[in-house]
């Protein structure tokens, strides 16, 4: 790496500078400080690896926030079972009847006796 490139990379904001950016404060409220610090460090490391010093603290915070949002997304996706098999283990579980869903929902909304026969 040349001296010019090294000098450019020193212009990257510090983790503390990025933590004071608006997007970072929002991210801390949502994901917690340690997760945000980790995402900021990863984002700054990516910028260093790409030799990109043209990002300011707001941009780094926004990129870190976007990284955390992607990680936070559920990996579960609805699929169509077109295999002809009623229950296919690679496609999750069998569908649950509406009555069972309603009963489970009602049980979760109220205190219930799980281990005792109160009847």
């Amino acid at each position: 790496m040349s001296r010019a490139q090294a000098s450019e990379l020193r212009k990257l904001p510090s983790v503390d500078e990025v933590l004071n950016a608006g997007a970072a404060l929002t991210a801390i409220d949502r994901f917690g400080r340690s997760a945000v610090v980790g995402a900021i460090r990863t984002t700054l490391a990516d910028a260093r690896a790409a030799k990109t010093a043209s990002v300011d603290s707001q941009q780094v915070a926004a990129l870190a926030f976007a990284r955390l949002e992607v990680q936070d997304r559920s990996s579960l996706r609805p699929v169509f079972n077109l295999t002809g098999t009623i229950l296919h283990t690679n496609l999750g579980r069998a569908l649950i009847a509406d009555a069972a869903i309603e009963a489970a929902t009602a049980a979760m909304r109220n205190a219930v006796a799980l281990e005792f026969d109160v009847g």
Side-chain angles (χ1 to χ4, degrees):
M1 179 184 312
S2 71
R3 285 185 181 191
Q5 288 174 327
S7 176
E8 269 304 296
L9 291 179
R10 284 189 199 101
K11 293 179 183 176
L12 283 170
S14 69
V15 173
D16 286 334
E17 286 177 62
V18 178
L19 283 171
N20 291 320
L25 297 173
T26 302
I28 289 170
D29 287 341
R30 182 165 167 198
F31 300 107
R33 183 178 171 84
S34 63
V36 174
V37 169
I40 290 170
R41 286 183 177 147
T42 302
T43 302
L44 289 171
D46 290 348
R48 279 188 208 95
K51 296 178 177 60
T52 306
S54 60
V55 291
D56 63 15
S57 58
Q58 291 289 345
Q59 292 168 318
V60 172
L63 290 168
F65 190 28
R67 179 185 303 269
L68 289 168
E69 285 183 319
V70 168
Q71 291 173 355
D72 192 45
R73 281 190 213 137
S74 173
S75 63
L76 297 177
R77 300 287 181 260
V79 295
F80 290 103
N81 180 2
L82 302 177
T83 65
T85 305
I86 295 175
L87 179 61
H88 195 291
T89 56
N90 290 338
L91 295 176
R93 56 164 174 76
L95 298 179
I96 298 174
D98 288 338
I101 293 171
E102 290 169 14
T105 302
M108 288 185 262
R109 288 194 173 133
N110 300 299
V112 295
L114 292 176
E115 296 179 11
F116 300 102
D117 183 9
V118 294

